[in-house]
Amino acid sequence: MLLLDVNHWWMLAVKLLFYGISLSNHISEGGPNGDCTPKNTLFISPETLNAQYFPSQTIYLDNNGTKLCFNIQPNNNSAACCNENNFNCSIKVKIEGPGKYILNATEEILSKQDIVVMENPQYNSSCMPSQVYNKSSPGFLYNIHRCLNESTKSIRVNADNCSDNSANTGVACKDVTETHYVIFENKTCVLCKKPVLKSLDKEINYTLTEIPTSPEKAKDVMNVLSSLFKNLGNASTAAVKMGNITGLIAKLPQENQTNMNFAFTKNSGVNSVEEDNSNSLTGPFRLMKIPKEASKMAVERNGSFLGILLFPEMHANDSIKYYLNSEIVGIEMGAKIQNLSQPIEIQYSNVDKKGANASCMSWDGNSTDANGKSLWITDGCQTVETNNSITCQCTHLTFFAILMSPPPVNISASDVNSLTYITSIGCGLSLFFLIVGLFMHVLVRKGKASEATKILMNLFVAMLILNLSFLTNESISNLGIKGACVAIAAVLHYGMLATFTWFFMQALHLYLSLRRICTEVKHYMLKICVTGWVIPAVVVIALLASQKYNSININTNEGKAATMCWISDAGIHQGVNIGYYAVVFVFTLSVFILTVRQIVLMPKAGKAQDKSSIKSNTSTILGLFLLLGITWAFAFFSYGPLLLASYYIFTILNSFQGFFLFIYYYKSSKIIGDGKVHTQSSSTATSKTAVTSPYG
């Protein structure tokens, strides 16, 4: 790019101003003194230039007195306009990731000047009309804006379009430890304020007659909070100390409720977090976020206080599981709080899981298991893991704990990579041939298709959904967009359950065909299709309503290997998927055995089979083995010494299943010269029964 002369500088400067900053805002926004004069604008960039592209001196627009300063000089030198009192050039911008920038600006600086961040400042423009130089013209601003071509990407930052209460604050401000402006995702600007820890108003010490060692006894301690509330006096908050139990109690405002955040830190004890950017807290801490919805609900139900207690030295009922930090959290607001749309958050930072799985649990204070112990459940709580922190998002108030469970036996990272490679090839190949099979059916054989072929085509569609959603799952998970992750998880789960269901439909149709019942059923195909697609949809909708889909980690014996969008609750996964397929497997295996028995026993009723018949029958049996989805049963053997072998067998057979079924479909049904479909016999016929290929 050629260096710009003075005229280019003027033209480019004005162009960038009106491309990165809307024309209407320049006409209407007030200056630092509250008048109608537009504020001065400082141009900066995270890029380093090696040559002079922009003027170093201040640029004036005569008709309104606006001043422009391009602090984008070669080798990061300061522009001459920075030596004037009109601009504060201490502002720097740095790149934090794709599309994310951090500015070390303050609210005071932005009250006096606007900022334009130029992502690619090395841009040369060709538009240079004569009106560019006529700054006194009444239409100067409009004419400049209209004539110039679109230029480099630029992002405007001012005090009005950057907020500290944006819904994106939690994501944008994570790990930002000072007050900065952050630009991220589609040029959204967010003000990230440094969190301020404020000591509570007073401290209340209470002596317990007995230190609780179980959740049942911790319940009795929570009942003490109502009496401690009376000791607050004129104070709004107080730290609570009961032996080894720490906590707090706070008054609930009767109106104008706000979010309340409290941090439990090792060095500072219990503090309130004044700024909402609690994501920037550093060091080990426990952070409790109480939404204003909970406070409002409590006040409406005659609640008057918030009490939070941490109970240490607590142990889970299961000997192989334990509570994180060996503690449980009790939260009380003097009223029953449930079904919150904005969940209460309990965050633990600097967590070393040591390979264990974390699960947020709650106990209502009353429910017990068969042994009379407290019954902890996951209902109403969601576990969110990011880096080295664990956050419990719960829609009700009660006792909470993070239950750490030993991880399942993991396989090595090399095996995971091998299995992933096999799966990608198999699913990709299956996806291609499933599309080819559907294409052949729609364009060539649709009018000649039998009921069995139509059922197979429905299975093809289900497997296509399964393979496509599986191949795209990890990429969507890595985007970090929860809505997209939930959607792809639901589609993947639906594809899998639909595939299982159509295995069942295949077996059912085969059984009815053997018994000669199909033709006697009214609206047979309609009933088959409704059953095949609606039943899995009901299951998926129920899990969506229960918010059971989320991003999960796939672990190896070396640690985290990958993420995917799936069912976040392991118990739900086992119960729904294994249970669902178990029902399908019992039926399909029974039909498979009956069919194989009939094929094997047929020669005894007639003449002995020749080699071609044996080959044909063997092909039919293998085809049925794939057609009825019996290959998925290898998941039942993924334990003990068979673990790794079952993984490889399961992966090879099921990722390539679409490809295998296409070959079976193609070889079982051929088109002959007159355009008719010729169905090959799958076995020799007897005088009473013939087992034939279903693809006629």
Side-chain angles (χ1 to χ4, degrees), residues 288-313:
M288 314 294 169
K289 293 184 176 182
I290 311 298
K292 64 180 180 180
E293 179 188 359
S295 300
K296 184 177 180 180
M297 185 181 295
V299 171
E300 291 174 350
R301 299 177 181 181
N302 299 319
S304 56
F305 68 91
L306 164 67
I308 303 175
L309 294 179
L310 299 184
F311 296 89
E313 300 180 13

Side-chain angles (χ1 to χ4, degrees), residues 325-401:
N325 294 347
S326 297
E327 69 181 20
I328 64 175
V329 180
I331 305 179
E332 174 63 42
M333 298 186 80
K336 187 174 183 179
I337 307 299
Q338 59 185 4
N339 300 325
L340 295 171
S341 59
Q342 295 178 312
I344 291 168
E345 293 190 5
I346 304 171
Q347 180 183 351
Y348 282 72
S349 74
N350 291 45
V351 176
D352 183 6
K353 298 199 304 178
K354 299 177 181 178
N357 293 326
S359 180
C360 294
M361 313 286 287
S362 67
W363 175 52
D364 61 9
N366 297 310
S367 302
T368 58
D369 58 18
N371 299 319
K373 301 292 185 180
S374 55
L375 179 62
W376 292 80
I377 59 176
T378 58
D379 293 356
C381 285
Q382 185 173 351
T383 306
V384 179
E385 298 184 47
T386 55
N387 297 327
N388 61 344
S389 71
I390 302 175
T391 302
C392 296
Q393 297 177 338
C394 301
T395 58
H396 59 282
L397 282 186
T398 181
F399 288 94
F400 303 99

Side-chain angles (χ1 to χ4, degrees), residues 271-283:
N271 297 273
S272 63
V273 184
E274 291 298 293
E275 298 295 351
D276 196 34
N277 183 21
S278 50
N279 298 281
S280 300
L281 289 173
T282 58

Side-chain angles (χ1 to χ4, degrees), residues 178-194:
E178 297 293 335
T179 298
H180 289 322
Y181 285 88
V182 175
I183 302 169
F184 81 115
E185 289 185 4
N186 300 322
K187 303 183 180 180
T188 302
C189 180
V190 174
L191 172 58
C192 299
K193 293 184 178 180
K194 180 180 179 179

Side-chain angles (χ1 to χ4, degrees), residues 634 636-649:
F634 281 99
F636 294 134
F637 299 99
S638 56
Y639 301 97
L642 297 177
L643 175 69
L644 192 58
S646 66
Y647 278 168
Y648 276 95
I649 296 174

